[in-house]
Amino acid sequence: MSNKHLLTSLSSVLRRTLTPTSHFSFNSTRWFQSGTFFSPNVKTHHRLFPCSGLDFLEIHKIPGKCFTSSQSAEKASAKCWNCSAAAEAVPFLFCSSCRCIQPVDQSVDYFQIFGLERKYDSVVDNLEGKYKDWQKKLHPDLVHTKSKEEREYAAEQSARVIDAYLTLSKPLARAIYILKLEGVDVDEEETLSESELLTEILEIREAVEEAADSQALVQIQSQMQEKLKHWSNSFANAFRSRNFDEALKAIRRMTYYERVKETIVKKL
Amino acid sequence: MAEPAYTVASDSETTGEEKLSATFSETAIGIDIGTSQCSVAVWNGSQVELLKNTRNQKMMRSYVTFKDENPSGGVSSQLANEQDVLSGAAIFNMKRLIGRVDTDPVVHSSKSLPFLVQTLGIGVRPLIAALVNNVWRSTTPEEVVAIFLVELKAMAEIRLKRPIKNVVLTIPASFSRFQLTRIERACAMAGLHVLRLMPEPTAVALLYAQQNASQNTNTGSEKIALIFNMGAGYCDVAVTATAGGVSQIKALAGSAIGGEDLLQNMMRHLLPDSESLLTSCGLDDIKSVGLLRVATQEAIHSLSSQTNVQVDVDLGNGTKICKVVDRGEFEEVNQDVFDKCASLIIQCLHDAKVDTEDVSDVIVVGGCSYIPKIKSLVMSTCKKQELYKGMNPLEAAVSGAALEGAVASGLSDPFGSLDLLTIQATPLAIGIRADGNNFVPIIPRSTTMPAQKDLIFTTAHDNQAEALIIVYEGEGKKVEENHLLGYFKITGIPLAPKGVPEIRVILDIDASSVLRVLAGVLMPGSHQPVNPVMGVRMPTVDDGHGWCAEALNRVYGSTLDLVTVQRKI
């Protein structure tokens, strides 16, 4: 595989991995809203663009610390749009008295959806099980015969839960997301300036290209896994002490190692 | 018939249809249209029930005979013997032909069927015709499927004593979105509304989820199953993770290989140098091929239970076959098919990121599941000593479709038997043509649906003002190995050196599995797209789609090409 090809695949890999949580270099809200050429039935762009990263833009519109627990407690006084029953659970995505799906509340973050503390190393125990429990309540397939309104809520809520699940289940995506919640953007387009990292990248890239057999690739793969683990821990520490520069540094490395891993998977 | 390129009206149309289906009594039925056999099932209030025709059959042969004025299908008509199906008057194996163009190898392999399959090799729909009073009467795969569906619908209406409108149909995992539109078209011709098109192994996965829901009430314990479904026309594999009645499809893989290939390989083995006979359209030759087909079919069936079989057939044209065939020979002539089956399983496990030791159950269903070699190859590829028991191999897919029909119709069951859900994944990658003739996937295969992904491209030439977005679906590295879904042009790109304008292409699959392709241009430093974004619902292509790609190539060459953006380090 030539340099050019490697770069190409790396770039596509990176973009793919990051899409749900990436920050685009332009205002995507306006981008999407600029088109009224979609179905006139679509009231919001969320139905069409469930995992577009718009969620972040929405979050950024709400300044500062809007996710404090007191606010969440207020949310508990919300009412079901259908039967007006008071919300009995946080997060309130689904009304258990009339079994009706609620509209998306952007102030509920991905951690809250799964009842997790907003910590990078929140114990992600049985995330998949919790994700499936939500889908069993929210999936659009289950509200096929219900009102158009509720079908739209189902499409949005279920897409958001998929997004939340995919984000939290991957260490890198989780790291980028939690930084975003703190108002720190990760610019995936940024040019690397750390010469030390640059050298390392070039070396690994060469190793991947020159790998003689799949065994050699598997070995690089496990090295990457080790590095990812190491930097994931560094991120956790940096984030805990709110050292965001250090956290960004960890993310840059994790991003790169993930890309190498994906490239190897393609070659294997 | 052509879909509007820009969706305005079609959405509201489907919404209107869905409202019609809101009446409680209308439980959608499940239909499995097999290449060789069909069946219909419905949730009867407490369990899934397969509907029987007037001859008390649950499995009906998939064919339509054009003998008399009115064509009749295998649901109602009773043919004196197998030979009548092979006289040239009956059309079958339509599932292998629907939505395929005449350059497709699968279409070419159908030329040995005892009716007319004419190809011109230019990427258009093949000509299909049945022999009626010594005249080749043309029809289309859609029409044949529709005639058959009308019969199934009538049969179900008699059995259930109510009109039938909504259906859940099972389809092969390898069907492209274009083929799905052809299936939908056939349903519309038959007066049916498609509530859901389910890849066959995902229907089986739903049945598995139901069977397991009662056993592990604790949603925490997740079971991974590999489903291998091989019928006459297609082989599909799925890996599903099941917990508490929810089946999440982790990966799908499929190919147009099946019992038909085993049969054809065996026919060629029994009668070497038979190529001209097999593809002949002469009346006597069709009869001879029909006889050979029946004899070979019977031999293959026998080889499932015994190790060798005596084949004794007079083809009526002076050729007599009198031969003992053993199972080893059968396995040898079909080695390529079996290898392909194994590779699909390996690919599916790889895509699902699942090791064989994580797989709790291996389920083998479909007509080919009776073949010893199929069972042994699935077990050895999955490193298992035994297969999952508790599913009828021929009824599993249609039962799953009936369950989905009940769930999608909003039914619930007091015992929680319908407390089910399938979370589907994309069976094929979808992307666009870029970097020359390469297929660049934007949504990779086995992505959880609904899904939205985007990728940034740029111009291939300096001062390129326009770019073609050509959308394909499939697994091939080169575009021509994939299915064309549609194309449109981005215009008004500001003049700039190549590589400067950013062309962002977004693929969106919504909750109803509708695919939309959006594309817009951005210039560096700007946060606004230069022109209104293009949003096109796909597929837009009609039957001549092989031709379209060729024509685009001839008119534009590489002048409107795109390349993927290279990341700076």
Side-chain angles (χ1 to χ4, degrees):
Chain A
M1 193 186 267
S2 75
N3 271 357
K4 192 180 147 191
H5 282 143
L6 184 75
L7 277 171
T8 315
S9 51
L10 282 177
S11 82
S12 59
V13 163
L14 178 83
R15 282 164 199 286
R16 231 173 279 154
T17 341
L18 293 185
T19 295
T21 53
S22 62
H23 162 77
F24 301 119
S25 53
F26 53 88
N27 184 330
S28 42
T29 309
R30 245 182 297 160
W31 163 273
F32 290 127
Q33 284 172 345
S34 66
T36 46
F37 47 84
F38 303 124
S39 156
N41 290 332
V42 182
K43 274 187 249 159
T44 64
H45 47 254
H46 292 294
R47 200 178 77 99
L48 264 176
F49 303 104
C51 342
S52 61
L54 286 169
D55 300 347
F56 282 129
L57 293 157
E58 296 291 333
I59 285 165
H60 290 307
K61 281 182 193 155
I62 309 160
K65 300 176 176 182
C66 61
F67 305 114
T68 57
S69 53
S70 66
Q71 289 246 338
S72 300
E74 275 169 37
K75 287 275 173 251
S77 65
K79 281 191 166 66
C80 170
W81 64 277
N82 185 47
C83 71
S84 307
E88 75 298 342
V90 179
F92 187 49
L93 276 54
F94 180 83
C95 172
S96 54
S97 56
C98 71
R99 310 190 64 79
C100 220
I101 297 167
Q102 303 301 309
V104 166
D105 178 355
Q106 295 291 349
S107 71
V108 174
D109 70 37
Y110 292 174
F111 290 93
Q112 289 167 332
I113 288 178
F114 292 110
L116 298 169
E117 254 187 284
R118 205 208 296 170
K119 284 188 194 155
Y120 176 69
D121 37 10
S122 264
V123 186
V124 191
D125 191 26
N126 191 22
L127 192 65
E128 177 143 4
K130 287 180 181 168
Y131 157 70
K132 280 185 183 153
D133 286 344
W134 272 132
Q135 289 295 8
K136 239 175 128 170
K137 296 190 173 99
L138 305 173
H139 201 275
D141 274 11
L142 305 171
V143 291
H144 204 81
T145 53
K146 296 213 185 162
S147 70
K148 186 167 161 289
E149 210 169 8
E150 192 171 353
R151 290 207 308 268
E152 275 180 22
Y153 295 154
E156 290 168 27
Q157 287 285 22
S158 130
R160 195 153 188 268
V161 170
I162 293 179
D163 221 3
Y165 165 65
L166 292 177
T167 305
L168 297 193
S169 58
K170 294 174 199 154
L172 176 58
R174 190 167 72 234
I176 294 172
Y177 180 73
I178 203 166
L179 267 192
K180 293 259 181 186
L181 289 183
E182 294 295 335
V184 182
D185 279 351
V186 178
D187 180 7
E188 51 157 316
E189 294 297 324
E190 97 186 318
T191 312
L192 280 186
S193 48
E194 296 172 64
S195 62
E196 168 201 347
L197 177 58
L198 202 63
T199 319
E200 192 193 344
I201 286 169
L202 291 173
E203 276 169 11
I204 300 174
R205 207 175 63 190
E206 214 162 280
V208 171
E209 270 174 55
E210 285 165 8
D213 49 20
S214 61
Q215 212 179 344
L217 284 171
V218 170
Q219 205 191 334
I220 303 175
Q221 184 85 312
S222 63
Q223 282 169 11
M224 291 302 112
Q225 197 53 47
E226 280 302 307
K227 284 175 189 284
L228 274 168
K229 214 170 153 191
H230 170 79
W231 285 102
S232 175
N233 288 334
S234 313
F235 178 86
N237 290 330
F239 185 77
R240 215 175 292 124
S241 52
R242 303 187 66 79
N243 182 347
F244 294 146
D245 282 341
E246 203 51 37
L248 280 169
K249 191 176 159 190
I251 284 182
R252 274 195 292 273
R253 281 164 173 75
M254 288 166 76
T255 305
Y256 182 70
Y257 301 135
E258 282 290 353
R259 281 157 65 190
V260 174
K261 267 179 66 187
E262 297 267 358
T263 315
I264 293 175
V265 167
K266 273 193 185 167
K267 284 187 90 171
L268 276 173
Chain B
M1 199 168 77
E3 291 270 334
Y6 303 95
T7 53
V8 178
S10 44
D11 260 8
S12 55
E13 268 172 29
T14 37
T15 314
E17 288 238 58
E18 281 168 12
K19 271 193 192 120
L20 283 179
S21 72
T23 44
F24 186 74
S25 61
E26 247 227 88
T27 307
I29 60 169
I31 301 181
D32 176 17
I33 306 193
T35 308
S36 133
Q37 289 188 315
C38 285
S39 49
V40 180
V42 68
W43 178 256
N44 69 8
S46 58
Q47 63 186 35
V48 169
E49 183 187 340
L50 265 76
L51 302 182
K52 290 178 182 169
N53 67 5
T54 47
R55 281 174 289 142
N56 219 23
Q57 293 171 314
K58 289 196 275 189
M59 295 291 150
M60 292 150 274
R61 286 286 305 275
S62 310
Y63 67 86
V64 169
T65 321
F66 289 84
K67 224 174 197 170
D68 313 307
E69 269 313 296
N70 296 318
S72 62
V75 180
S76 54
S77 75
Q78 183 159 19
L79 292 166
N81 58 48
E82 190 72 2
Q83 198 52 47
D84 280 5
V85 184
L86 307 169
S87 63
I91 306 251
F92 55 96
N93 274 20
M94 276 309 104
K95 206 160 91 170
R96 291 258 272 192
L97 289 165
I98 196 162
R100 289 187 192 274
V101 291
D102 65 358
T103 45
D104 192 320
V106 179
V107 172
H108 282 262
S109 78
S110 300
K111 282 181 159 182
S112 68
L113 298 176
F115 52 88
L116 185 68
V117 178
Q118 197 180 75
T119 57
L120 294 170
I122 56 169
V124 296
R125 185 163 66 186
L127 179 73
I128 315 278
L131 195 62
V132 187
N133 300 327
N134 222 20
V135 172
W136 287 113
R137 182 193 181 282
S138 82
T139 179
T140 61
E142 289 86 341
E143 190 181 48
V144 176
V145 172
I147 292 168
F148 199 76
L149 283 169
V150 166
E151 289 197 355
L152 286 176
K153 180 178 187 244
M155 178 198 100
E157 286 178 342
I158 291 168
R159 291 285 158 193
L160 300 175
K161 300 181 182 67
R162 65 172 169 93
I164 303 286
K165 175 98 182 131
N166 294 329
V167 293
V168 172
L169 240 73
T170 59
I171 40 134
S174 56
F175 259 25
S176 74
R177 285 178 171 265
F178 175 72
Q179 286 176 297
L180 300 187
T181 67
R182 300 298 89 187
I183 291 284
E184 279 168 350
R185 171 96 194 121
C187 287
M189 286 161 82
L192 294 169
H193 173 237
V194 178
L195 212 54
R196 199 81 76 232
L197 292 174
M198 277 187 113
E200 275 147 31
T202 72
V204 179
L206 190 61
L207 179 63
Y208 175 76
Q210 192 209 30
Q211 293 182 344
N212 280 274
S214 45
Q215 291 163 23
N216 53 343
T217 38
N218 173 20
T219 52
S221 65
E222 181 181 87
K223 275 174 97 175
I224 292 178
L226 180 130
I227 295 156
F228 181 91
N229 179 27
M230 188 172 180
Y234 292 88
C235 176
D236 290 338
V237 187
V239 171
T240 173
T242 303
V246 182
S247 153
Q248 162 127 35
I249 306 303
K250 292 272 184 192
L252 279 172
S255 175
I257 50 164
E260 178 63 32
D261 299 286
L262 303 176
L263 179 65
Q264 290 197 14
N265 289 339
M266 203 59 184
M267 280 162 72
R268 291 191 169 89
H269 175 67
L270 287 171
L271 190 65
D273 308 314
S274 55
E275 217 50 47
S276 62
L277 178 69
L278 288 176
T279 52
S280 163
C281 293
L283 207 50
D284 291 338
D285 289 345
I286 284 179
K287 280 208 177 100
S288 302
V289 174
L291 288 165
L292 178 61
R293 211 181 155 83
V294 173
T296 312
Q297 183 89 62
E298 281 169 3
I300 294 175
H301 284 168
S302 303
L303 286 175
S304 287
S305 53
Q306 57 203 58
T307 50
N308 62 60
V309 65
Q310 170 81 34
V311 179
D312 223 333
V313 60
D314 184 347
L315 299 184
N317 60 354
T319 311
K320 280 186 187 167
I321 298 170
C322 188
K323 199 174 175 184
V324 175
V325 185
D326 66 35
R327 200 183 276 172
E329 266 174 280
F330 168 72
E331 290 171 4
E332 200 182 312
V333 297
N334 286 305
Q335 193 56 48
D336 288 352
V337 176
F338 296 131
D339 287 348
K340 179 70 188 169
C341 293
S343 76
L344 286 174
I345 297 172
I346 292 165
Q347 179 199 316
C348 202
L349 287 168
H350 175 264
D351 285 356
K353 300 188 178 75
V354 163
D355 286 328
T356 48
E357 53 262 37
D358 303 328
V359 177
S360 312
D361 287 307
V362 177
I363 303 166
V364 181
V365 293
C368 290
S369 63
Y370 294 104
I371 298 170
K373 176 72 183 175
I374 291 290
K375 284 192 254 192
S376 67
L377 89 84
V378 178
M379 282 193 282
S380 68
T381 313
C382 296
K383 302 192 180 88
K384 288 282 178 294
Q385 299 304 315
E386 58 177 357
L387 299 171
Y388 181 76
K389 298 181 186 74
M391 263 189 214
N392 180 323
L394 299 179
E395 298 177 4
V398 75
S399 303
L403 286 175
E404 177 76 13
V407 173
S409 303
L411 260 63
S412 61
D413 177 73
F415 304 105
S417 305
L418 289 179
D419 216 358
L420 303 170
L421 176 67
T422 322
I423 302 172
Q424 292 281 3
T426 53
L428 298 166
I430 307 170
I432 69 165
R433 174 179 175 269
D435 303 330
N437 220 22
N438 288 316
F439 170 64
V440 178
I442 298 176
I443 297 184
R445 71 165 176 251
S446 299
T447 301
T448 301
M449 293 199 280
Q452 193 198 65
K453 305 258 173 185
D454 73 310
L455 209 55
I456 295 173
F457 298 86
T458 188
T459 47
H461 307 283
D462 292 337
N463 297 327
Q464 185 180 332
E466 300 184 328
L468 271 176
I469 308 286
I470 313 179
V471 182
Y472 287 89
E473 184 180 36
E475 301 305 329
K477 283 197 162 55
K478 297 285 169 197
V479 287
E480 56 268 23
E481 299 158 32
N482 300 289
H483 305 274
L484 177 67
L485 294 182
Y487 40 84
F488 59 93
K489 195 166 75 172
I490 296 285
T491 57
I493 304 171
L495 299 186
K498 64 182 174 193
V500 172
E502 273 195 356
I503 291 136
R504 182 158 177 239
V505 181
I506 306 166
L507 259 51
D508 181 87
I509 301 173
D510 73 11
S512 338
S513 190
V514 171
L515 170 69
R516 284 183 179 79
V517 180
L518 297 110
V521 185
L522 259 137
M523 295 303 283
S526 163
H527 295 299
Q528 284 268 33
V530 175
N531 288 312
V533 178
M534 294 282 288
V536 181
R537 182 172 167 165
M538 300 265 169
T540 58
V541 288
D542 216 319
D543 278 315
H545 60 250
W547 208 219
C548 300
E550 194 71 15
L552 284 171
N553 196 29
R554 184 166 309 167
V555 175
Y556 299 104
S558 67
T559 54
L560 305 188
D561 271 15
L562 286 174
V563 291
T564 42
V565 167
Q566 310 236 333
R567 265 190 70 81
K568 29 186 187 194
I569 290 189

